[in-house]
Amino acid sequence: MTLAAGTKLGPYEVVAPVGAGGMGEVYRARDTRLGRDVAVKVLPAAIASDPDRLRRFEQEARAIGALNHPNILAVYDIGAHDGAPYLVTELLEGETLRGLLGGGPLSARRATEIALQIASGLFAAHEKGIIHRDLKPDNLFITRDGRVKILDFGLAKLAAAPGAGGDEAATLATMASHGAAKTSPGAVLGTAGYMSPEQVRGLPVDHRSDIFSFGSLLYEMLAGARPFRGESSVETMNAILKEDPPDLAAGDKKIPPAMDRIVRRCLEKSPERRFQSASDLAFAIETLSGSAISSAPRQPAAAAPAAGRSLAWPLAAVAALAIAVIAFFLGGRLLKPAPATFRDVVYGRGYIGAARFTPDGDSIVYSAAWRGKPAEIFTSRLDSIAARSLGLPDTELLAVSRTGDLGISMGRHALLWWTEQGTLGRVPLSGGAARPVMEQAGDADISFDGKEFAVVRFTDAQRTLEYPIGKVLFATKGWVSHPRISPGRDAVAFLDHQFIGDDRGYVSVVDLAGHVKRLTPEWSGENGLAWSPDGREVWFSAGLDTEGSSIYAVTLDGKVRVVLSTAADLQLHDISSDGRALLGELRESSDISVGRFGRQPDLLLDIPDESATAAAISDDGSMLAAIFSGAGGGHDYSTYAVKSDGSGEIRLGDGAAIAISPDGKWVLAVSPSSPSKFVLYPTGAGQARPMDLSPVESLVTGNGSWSRDGAKVLFAGKQQGIAAAGYLLDLRSGRVRAVTPEGAAAVMLLSPAGDTVLARVEGAGFALYPVSGGTPQPVKGIEKEDVPLRWDTSGNKLYVWDGKMPVQIALVDPRTGERKNWLKVEPGDASGLLYGSVLITPDGRSYAYRF
């Protein structure tokens, strides 16, 4: 159907044809109501005669029309003319990215500018649940003023309906409407050169498929050629599945290494190894655009964004740490790009906790555990190397007010790796007795006037941020750390971690009305936070991927800059009123040892990962399931099978181990960035078995237990709107169901027979819950601070750790309360020791521990 000039389609008057394709004809038209020119695409009668396709077209058009994003083609209206549906969009002037690439590869700066706009548009679409599925140069339009527009969202889905050419369905309208080349009929869905591996295989796709296609686009912009090429579509798709793209930096191309890393991460074959959101991708590109367009090395004090590294998992032992004063920041402004000045003020063999400036700025207060002794609080003048203890044993610093009051944590102990709690107290800096304020408190801050606390409260069901105490501003099933009250006392900044046991997370801020805003995308590791003196920025220490932790600053509208990046692993402790920053240098290590009851000495395993974690042990003690989370572990870590005789380890795949089967033949792992994605890995010959447990998500690794018959695994999980609970996974069917009450998920063990779950409920202690339902049985002989480790061989008694170090394990009958000391283990050197984890076999003869 060809429309003549002057034809009316509702309020739209046709001016002239623009183009035509197999999916319809496009016209320049005048909106007579608003007096503007628009593009009107009239779709063919085949769509009008198919009610299902017409319904989906209307739904998708409405969804896209609701996006309202500057980098997505605006959809104004839908309607019908003589039974043929039409779509009204904005009219663009310029050329497609395909036309722009006709002149050869783009400069790194130009490619970065375009890529950032594409990523921003994708994020807006993905937030609405819209996946493009055919992202390519033909579907990207560059307007005359440099604005990038993503075209044809949703139409790729129409191509899946019978009777229409896939490529045309994905690209027709705007390509024709803006003079792009017509598509070839009969092309496969998604265009071969830009499809993701999961598209090639015909598997279901999610937003990460678009991220792969984005990587292909960015590669082509930089190299002037597609990353995957073949003589035919089949050969091209085979290359996507099996080959790596040619090196971007080959020849005389001046591609920044950071840009190359972004491209290659987008083009990972496995979706789990790519950027997990377009928001994170946009952030990485924005970081690059400020500092890495030149391939020249970065100066230490450059105030430009840069990537960090994964901080791995729990900090098991800090052998040494230095606090330094950095003096290039004053009044919230970077005075000049001169090198920062440093001065070491504390150094020793042990662990330094929180550190703060005193109100006058002439001294610092810090907590430390030197050479294996309990933690206590010290004060030291900046012009002296002498330190004075405040005489508060087994106490750690949390905060310092401008009035000289200290917020402290008494009896602080590890709950689970990164998470710790104790009794919140207050004590004058000048000395005196501590006054308890609140039990079961995690991190805390005190207001400048010393009147109110912002505190993190831990329960088995959730973690809450309260300010003042009793007023909940934020709640999460993950965990919260480093709360800091703003100088104006009208907001609290904090680190928001989504996955218990993992230090990845976001920098967020919440106001007194409970309105929460994430200021940054996700970082692989975060470890410190403070407000700038003027309250305009939040400074924090964090890292991305495999590089060192650096100091960053973010404004309240989300603009991130680098403050300091060095070869050291940095931690931000505090900022003084005159702009000096108190930094710590982190030096971490951990060891895994295995032992046999009654046999000495224990065997220290030689594992090539500085942050490896022993997650589970097989029933016979011959095999460990381990998590490698250091620099070589990858973004989502790696699961390994480790032989307990020290003869070697085998990488099983991505993810973090949850549990190992009784016979040591299978390991269950979870992806921290996608906690609904589980994988069952064979430790010997066989194929990995992926499982998607949506909408259930795992809460923590290393907290699973396997039934003796190998058929069921218990793990801590959550669902949207439901408190955390214990979930039982049937490995044969893949089904998952809750088997404990809401809130009973922190400490759990499945009985060997798979019929009973030991779990702790907040405020009620431990109980035994029948898997089939029914009344729970009370538990005797186990205190709320205890950590049950394993059922014994009979299934009648439990090995229980008191949670302290050195480790003392007892054998407890939960029905009678009978308790017998069984095993004591401790490392040879306790200097800097933070916490550990312990594994034991059902017969109690073999064990493993990590410190």
Side-chain angles (χ1 to χ4, degrees):
M1 176 178 62
T2 302
L3 303 180
T7 301
K8 292 286 188 68
L9 292 82
Y12 308 104
E13 182 177 336
V14 173
V15 176
V18 175
M23 281 291 291
E25 298 169 336
V26 181
Y27 299 87
R28 186 186 191 102
R30 186 74 173 170
D31 185 340
T32 57
R33 296 169 303 180
L34 301 177
R36 64 178 175 182
D37 285 346
V38 296
V40 177
K41 179 179 64 177
V42 181
L43 301 180
I47 290 181
S49 62
D50 186 333
D52 182 62
R53 294 178 69 194
L54 182 59
R55 177 182 55 80
R56 288 188 289 120
F57 158 70
E58 292 173 344
Q59 288 176 344
E60 290 160 1
R62 289 192 181 98
I64 301 163
L67 287 175
N68 191 27
H69 191 275
N71 296 122
I72 295 176
L73 179 72
V75 174
Y76 297 146
D77 199 1
I78 57 174
H81 175 72
D82 291 340
Y86 63 81
L87 182 71
V88 182
T89 72
E90 63 180 314
L91 185 67
L92 305 178
E93 303 286 347
E95 65 177 332
T96 63
L97 180 58
R98 174 70 69 203
L100 185 63
L101 290 175
L106 307 181
S107 68
R109 184 174 298 278
R110 181 70 170 127
T112 301
E113 292 171 352
I114 294 174
L116 181 58
Q117 295 188 61
I118 299 171
S120 298
L122 283 179
F123 175 59
H126 292 168
E127 273 199 315
K128 297 289 187 179
I130 301 171
I131 305 166
H132 195 287
R133 299 203 302 182
D134 195 25
L135 204 63
K136 60 183 179 181
D138 311 81
N139 286 342
L140 295 160
F141 198 88
I142 317 297
T143 65
R144 290 177 178 174
D145 62 357
R147 176 76 66 184
V148 177
K149 295 284 185 177
I150 306 176
L151 313 178
D152 291 335
F153 272 96
L155 291 181
K157 293 184 178 181
L158 288 177
D167 189 47
E168 284 200 278
T171 63
L172 117 45
T174 24
M175 286 175 58
S177 66
H178 304 297
K182 297 180 182 179
T183 56
S184 302
V188 297
L189 174 63
T191 308
Y194 305 91
M195 296 167 68
S196 66
E198 52 269 34
Q199 279 180 293
V200 171
R201 292 190 173 98
L203 300 174
V205 301
D206 59 19
H207 61 281
R208 294 171 297 182
S209 179
D210 281 349
I211 290 175
F212 185 94
S213 300
F214 173 94
S216 298
L217 284 170
L218 184 51
Y219 184 102
E220 187 171 355
M221 283 191 279
L222 295 167
R226 297 198 308 265
F228 305 103
R229 301 184 296 277
E231 295 298 325
S232 66
S233 295
V234 172
E235 292 176 346
T236 298
M237 290 188 285
N238 190 59
I240 289 172
L241 292 176
K242 299 180 179 179
E243 298 177 9
D244 291 327
D247 190 354
L248 259 180
D252 59 354
K253 300 186 185 73
K254 297 185 181 299
I255 307 298
M259 176 73 86
D260 181 68
R261 287 195 295 270
I262 289 174
V263 173
R264 293 194 177 277
R265 185 169 172 188
C266 290
L267 294 177
E268 288 282 357
K269 308 297 185 189
S270 169
E272 286 74 22
R273 297 187 65 88
R274 299 173 204 152
F275 287 97
Q276 294 302 294
S277 77
S279 173
D280 291 355
L281 174 57
F283 175 72
I285 297 169
E286 188 172 27
T287 299
L288 176 65
S289 68
S291 65
I293 297 305
S294 168
S295 58
R298 188 171 62 241
Q299 296 301 315
R309 78 161 178 91
S310 170
L311 291 181
W313 279 51
L315 199 86
V318 178
L321 184 150
I323 295 181
V325 177
I326 173 174
F328 65 87
F329 177 92
L330 185 61
R333 302 189 313 275
L334 190 65
L335 297 179
K336 57 182 180 179
T341 60
F342 296 87
R343 182 153 49 91
D344 287 347
V345 292
V346 178
Y347 190 90
R349 182 167 178 77
Y351 168 69
I352 296 177
R356 300 287 187 268
F357 286 103
T358 56
D360 60 12
D362 294 332
S363 303
I364 62 169
V365 187
Y366 61 95
S367 53
W370 297 124
R371 298 189 177 277
K373 298 178 182 179
E376 55 182 318
I377 299 177
F378 300 87
T379 182
S380 176
R381 288 188 56 84
L382 296 178
D383 57 3
S384 171
I385 62 173
R388 176 177 65 89
S389 171
L390 296 187
L392 299 168
D394 195 21
T395 300
E396 297 192 38
L397 179 70
L398 295 177
V400 178
S401 74
R402 291 287 185 256
T403 59
D405 284 329
L406 305 185
I408 60 174
S409 181
M410 299 176 286
R412 194 169 180 83
H413 58 279
L415 287 179
L416 184 62
W417 293 334
W418 296 104
T419 55
E420 297 178 301
Q421 74 173 16
T423 298
L424 174 65
R426 177 197 295 266
V427 66
L429 176 60
S430 57
R435 180 171 69 85
V437 175
M438 170 185 158
E439 294 183 344
Q440 292 184 304
D443 286 355
D445 192 24
I446 191 169
S447 59
F448 284 16
D449 59 7
K451 294 181 179 180
E452 301 288 356
F453 282 99
V455 63
V456 178
R457 187 190 299 268
F458 289 94
T459 69
D460 286 347
Q462 63 181 3
R463 270 53 58 192
T464 58
L465 174 60
E466 303 175 11
Y467 176 61
I469 293 175
K471 181 181 179 181
V472 176
L473 298 181
F474 177 74
T476 178
K477 294 183 178 68
W479 60 290
V480 174
S481 68
H482 299 83
R484 298 299 294 266
I485 303 169
S486 67
R489 293 181 293 173
D490 57 352
V492 180
F494 60 97
L495 300 182
D496 177 11
H497 310 277
Q498 299 299 295
F499 199 64
I500 296 176
D502 194 349
D503 64 342
R504 70 181 63 206
Y506 309 83
V507 177
S508 296
V509 65
V510 58
D511 65 19
L512 300 188
H515 300 128
V516 181
K517 181 180 181 181
R518 283 182 178 170
L519 301 182
T520 70
E522 185 181 65
W523 298 84
S524 297
E526 301 175 315
N527 57 32
L529 184 143
W531 287 87
S532 65
D534 60 9
R536 295 180 180 178
E537 289 184 320
V538 177
W539 285 30
F540 61 99
S541 42
L544 285 172
D545 297 330
T546 59
E547 297 181 7
S549 181
S550 301
I551 308 299
Y552 297 85
V554 59
T555 62
L556 296 184
D557 58 0
K559 296 179 180 177
V560 178
R561 66 181 178 92
V562 163
V563 176
L564 181 70
S565 182
T566 73
D569 218 357
L570 301 177
Q571 180 179 18
L572 176 66
H573 285 276
D574 199 16
I575 301 176
S576 68
S577 59
D578 62 2
R580 292 168 296 161
L582 195 58
L583 308 180
E585 179 185 353
L586 299 178
R587 302 176 188 176
E588 60 181 283
S589 65
S590 66
D591 291 321
I592 297 176
S593 294
V594 295
R596 184 75 178 168
F597 191 85
R599 185 186 68 192
Q600 294 293 333
D602 295 338
L603 174 65
L604 177 64
L605 297 180
D606 183 14
I607 295 180
D609 186 278
E610 75 279 9
S611 300
T613 300
I617 188 170
S618 63
D619 278 8
D620 64 3
S622 65
M623 185 77 71
L624 303 177
I627 305 165
F628 280 27
S629 52
H635 179 70
D636 268 335
Y637 314 130
S638 296
T639 288
Y640 276 74
V642 179
K643 296 181 179 180
S644 59
D645 62 3
S647 60
E649 63 280 331
I650 302 171
R651 186 181 188 278
L652 303 180
D654 296 339
I658 290 179
I660 189 170
S661 62
D663 58 10
K665 293 182 178 181
W666 295 91
V667 173
L668 186 67
V670 63
S671 170
S673 62
S674 302
S676 289
K677 304 296 177 63
F678 285 48
V679 182
L680 195 61
Y681 289 116
T683 58
Q687 297 296 315
R689 179 183 162 192
M691 290 176 282
D692 189 340
L693 305 187
S694 300
V696 179
E697 295 182 351
S698 174
L699 274 175
V700 64
T701 63
N703 193 31
S705 56
W706 217 298
S707 62
R708 182 181 293 145
D709 63 4
K712 308 180 192 71
V713 174
L714 178 75
F715 68 95
K718 64 177 181 178
Q719 295 188 62
Q720 185 69 31
I722 301 175
Y727 285 82
L728 196 64
L729 169 63
D730 187 316
L731 295 173
R732 296 189 181 101
S733 65
R735 296 192 193 92
V736 61
R737 63 186 178 95
V739 291
T740 71
E742 291 183 31
V747 181
M748 304 180 303
L749 285 174
L750 181 66
S751 65
D755 57 359
T756 306
V757 174
L758 172 81
R760 187 180 69 197
V761 176
E762 188 68 34
F766 288 94
L768 296 171
Y769 295 90
V771 168
S772 58
T775 304
Q777 302 176 30
V779 167
K780 299 178 181 179
I782 303 179
E783 304 299 327
K784 64 179 181 179
E785 296 85 5
D786 285 341
V787 183
L789 299 175
R790 193 79 177 259
W791 288 92
D792 74 348
T793 305
S794 69
N796 296 319
K797 296 182 180 180
L798 291 155
Y799 296 103
V800 178
W801 172 30
D802 61 7
K804 301 176 182 178
M805 290 180 286
V807 171
Q808 180 68 58
I809 299 175
L811 188 61
V812 179
D813 187 324
R815 293 172 176 85
T816 66
E818 178 187 358
R819 188 175 182 123
K820 173 185 177 184
N821 286 340
W822 183 264
L823 179 69
K824 182 179 180 179
V825 293
E826 61 182 312
D829 183 0
S831 298
L833 191 64
L834 288 183
Y835 51 81
S837 56
V838 188
L839 307 170
I840 192 167
T841 57
D843 62 7
R845 296 295 175 181
S846 297
Y847 53 89
Y849 54 94
R850 182 247 189 170
F851 289 107

